[in-house]
Amino acid sequence: GYLARAAFIMDRLMSKVGLHGKSFIPLLSSFACAIPGNMATRTIENRQDRFATILVAPLMSCSARLPIYTLFIAAFLPTGTLLGLFSYQGIAMFSMYLLGTVLSFFAAWVLSRFVFKGDSSFFAMELPPYRLPRLRQILWRMIDRSKAFFVRAGKIIFWMSILLWLMARYPSVELDPSFEVRRIAVQETYDASVAAGDDGEAAALIFGASIQQLDIDAAGYRIERSFIGMMGHALEPVMRPLGFDWKISAGIISAFVAREVIISALATIYSVGDSDENSPILREKLKADRYPDGSPVYTPLVAASLLVFFVLALQCMSTLAIARRETNTWKWPLSQLFGMTAIAYIVALIAFQLLK
């Protein structure tokens, strides 16, 4: 009975921005993930209210954005406190969630006034009594919804994942001869260490770490020359007003599989390997990156611009696939994709240029 009462209480606020009281639960779910948020809109009877909720749900900061927030806020924003009480980094994290929430309500208001025009629906429901949930019903509901996701949306995600994987691996390029020179040097160093009677276990560890780093460097070399790398270079002139270079642009393209993939993409490009948002090595690599003129690639300003972009952009093909399934057309999901990307670009551009 709690969810029904929450929807009832929130109906007055939701109606002011053109949404239904029942939109509150899908939007709340979207803070975890927009996929169950979209699927939860089935409880909304009015088609216009349902579609409007689906279109604005991805603006809620889902958990997939959290690693991106963590990496760039921790690496580039100051660690002091405001008035000795509030951490600057904590304020920045809260601002990301607030920005997405406020803009989702504004987007819903715009949609209700100019796209889904018509008589607004009214809220009427019988509030169910409070009762303990039944584990058997919850279990079968989870199985049913999971099956629907894998069978219908999973096909789109599967083929898109293959396409993006191919774009990151091809065209296959020959490594620069310097890689072979480095590999031979590592092998010779190891052989000399063994011949000199040094600690064999320590020498093997150093040899393994050197070969691993060489493979990581080679992966970064290949991805720069892959189709995704080429697209990153091609997009760089368009993304440069936001403060993004080709590496960030390539990461954004890769992140369409899932938002947090940008971290592993940047880790590969910067030859860090399998790193996460808490990796101090990746943070130091980002801080040390420089343009040819010596200016830093990443600054607090660039980090702020990138954070704003990821708050607003629809970097998630799973959400796109579910929106296609729930609306039964590509019209609204594609409008959502291009519209949110345009909004993200414009707002990030304004933030970067004004703060500069």
Side-chain angles (χ1 to χ4, degrees), residues 56-329:
V56 303
L59 287 170
M60 301 297 180
S61 286
C62 65
S63 57
R65 291 180 171 103
L66 192 56
I68 304 169
Y69 296 167
T70 301
L71 173 63
F72 287 96
I73 289 176
F76 298 103
L77 298 189
T79 57
T81 59
L82 178 65
L83 303 176
L85 297 174
F86 306 105
S87 163
Y88 289 129
Q89 294 185 349
I91 293 172
M93 182 72 78
F94 175 74
S95 298
M96 296 300 101
Y97 284 87
L98 184 63
L99 176 63
T101 303
V102 171
L103 285 180
S104 70
F105 286 161
F106 177 73
W109 181 84
V110 172
L111 288 171
S112 66
R113 294 299 185 277
F114 302 103
V115 180
F116 299 117
K117 294 182 290 186
D119 295 334
S120 59
S121 59
F122 58 89
F123 188 97
M125 68 177 299
E126 180 181 354
L127 295 180
Y130 292 111
R131 60 168 62 94
L132 290 174
R134 296 180 180 177
L135 184 60
R136 178 184 175 87
Q137 291 181 349
I138 294 174
L139 179 62
W140 281 111
R141 183 69 172 174
M142 289 168 57
I143 293 173
D144 180 60
R145 293 299 91 210
S146 300
K147 180 180 177 181
F149 174 79
F150 280 111
V151 172
R152 300 184 183 181
K155 291 183 288 186
I156 301 174
I157 297 169
F158 175 75
W159 291 112
M160 287 296 295
S161 297
I162 290 178
L163 176 62
L164 288 169
W165 180 85
L166 291 172
M167 290 172 63
R169 296 297 186 276
Y170 292 94
S172 180
V173 296
E174 293 291 333
L175 290 176
D176 190 271
S178 62
F179 283 96
E180 185 61 28
V181 173
R182 288 172 58 189
R183 190 176 294 275
I184 293 173
V186 169
Q187 184 66 52
E188 290 177 346
T189 302
Y190 173 71
D191 292 340
S193 179
V194 172
D198 295 337
D199 185 354
E201 185 177 350
L205 288 174
I206 295 173
F207 174 75
S210 300
I211 292 296
Q212 183 182 24
Q213 184 60 47
L214 190 60
D215 291 338
I216 293 171
D217 292 344
Y221 179 88
R222 289 191 175 99
I223 199 170
E224 180 178 356
R225 289 155 181 80
S226 68
F227 287 120
I228 283 183
M230 295 176 189
M231 292 174 67
H233 282 288
L235 277 177
E236 185 174 12
V238 179
M239 306 300 280
R240 183 58 67 86
L242 279 63
F244 303 164
D245 70 340
W246 77 266
K247 303 181 192 73
I248 303 177
S249 302
I252 289 173
I253 296 170
S254 302
F256 187 63
V257 176
R259 295 178 178 94
E260 66 272 24
V261 171
I262 188 176
I263 295 176
S264 58
L266 290 175
T268 300
I269 293 172
Y270 283 98
S271 303
V272 179
D274 188 16
S275 298
D276 60 17
E277 66 275 12
N278 297 312
S279 169
I281 301 175
L282 177 58
R283 294 179 187 177
E284 293 304 317
K285 285 272 191 176
L286 296 178
K287 292 179 181 179
D289 196 12
R290 293 290 187 272
Y291 287 113
D293 63 1
S295 60
V297 173
Y298 295 90
T299 64
L301 183 57
V302 173
S305 177
L306 185 63
L307 289 171
V308 169
F309 184 86
F310 267 91
V311 168
L312 304 177
L314 181 60
Q315 294 292 117
C316 182
M317 66 178 176
S318 302
T319 301
L320 199 67
I322 283 293
R324 160 64 180 85
R325 178 184 168 236
E326 294 300 316
T327 60
N328 200 31
T329 176

Side-chain angles (χ1 to χ4, degrees), residues 237-242 309 340-350:
V238 179
M239 306 300 280
R240 183 58 67 86
L242 279 63
F309 184 86
M340 290 182 63
T341 302
I343 293 171
Y345 184 92
I346 293 170
V347 177
L349 175 65
I350 293 172

